[in-house]
Amino acid sequence: MHDDRALVEARLGRVLDERLRPAAYPECVPLGVAVWYAPGEPVPVAECLAAEPEPVEVGARWGTSWFRVTGADQGVHRFRHALVPGASIGDAVREGWRINLPERRLTGAGEVAPLVTADRDAAVVTVVKLADDGSGDVVGRFHEAHGARARATLTTGFAATGVEVTDLLERPLADARAPLLDGGRITVRLRPFQLMTLRLKRA
């Protein structure tokens, strides 16, 4: 019998090389990354755009740096921007979260109270969820967003009987002192940009 496997494989190879691979893997172009080291924060946008960045290796230490990335990209991209004249750091943080995670409006008969609130703009609550182990405990995660030491009071919208500090996997941190819990109020002290996760036991 005639063996036409070589012919079929050659035809398939041409289809892959000429049509499928170019569609799945477009032509690559060099990617250039440059950085401008800002003298501090906040920095006016106009000053950042007018600055002359320096070449930098990807993976260098991050800080108050603005990166400029050049190179071709594929597809359609949509961006949303907001201008807040005279914005403070707190205003910028709040506006960024508002754009990134807009509130969801639902039709209902009653008001939905927040589960955890903070009395300081510097303490930004980012996660409130049930514990992964199914115990019914509530896990709250927040961070200091202004780059300075802060003291904040968290207020829970439910009765809490205990609180402990955990890692990101919700495991207790033995060397971490538990914050003071007074009724539904929790007092925490945060280092600059510190991320903290609390596990709250419900009554």
Side-chain angles (χ1 to χ4, degrees):
M1 297 180 62
H2 179 67
D3 187 358
D4 58 357
R5 286 181 299 179
L7 179 60
V8 172
E9 290 176 357
R11 290 176 176 174
L12 289 176
R14 283 202 306 273
V15 173
L16 287 173
D17 294 336
E18 297 174 6
R19 296 173 181 262
L20 298 182
R21 287 195 179 100
Y25 306 102
E27 180 182 358
C28 296
V29 297
L31 182 67
V33 180
V35 62
W36 174 61
Y37 297 99
E41 295 286 358
V43 179
V45 175
E47 182 179 350
C48 300
L49 297 177
E52 289 296 331
E54 304 173 2
V56 66
E57 294 182 1
V58 177
R61 182 177 178 180
W62 286 55
T64 55
S65 308
W66 286 63
F67 287 84
R68 176 180 295 173
V69 181
T70 58
D73 206 345
Q74 304 293 325
V76 177
H77 302 270
R78 293 180 175 86
F79 299 91
R80 291 185 299 168
H81 305 275
L83 295 178
V84 184
S88 64
I89 296 179
D91 296 330
V93 171
R94 189 183 310 108
E95 189 67 14
W97 279 103
R98 186 189 68 80
I99 293 177
N100 189 48
L101 294 173
E103 65 179 14
R104 292 177 293 176
R105 296 182 178 271
L106 302 176
T107 302
E111 182 181 356
V112 179
L115 294 175
V116 179
T117 58
D119 68 340
R120 295 287 186 272
D121 285 345
V124 179
V125 180
T126 57
V127 175
V128 179
K129 59 184 283 292
L130 291 174
D132 289 341
D133 59 9
S135 62
D137 293 346
V138 176
V139 173
R141 186 167 298 126
F142 54 97
H143 68 275
E144 198 289 318
H146 291 187
R149 293 184 178 275
R151 176 174 177 172
T153 299
L154 306 178
T155 302
T156 62
F158 55 91
T161 59
V163 57
E164 62 181 348
V165 182
T166 71
D167 60 13
L168 295 178
L169 298 179
E170 303 175 12
R171 299 174 301 193
L173 295 177
D175 57 346
R177 178 181 299 178
L180 176 63
L181 173 63
D182 182 11
R185 298 166 65 87
I186 305 167
T187 302
V188 296
R189 296 178 182 273
L190 299 171
R191 301 186 305 274
F193 301 118
Q194 179 183 357
L195 175 68
M196 180 177 289
T197 303
L198 298 180
R199 184 186 186 105
L200 308 171
K201 297 187 179 298
R202 296 190 297 172

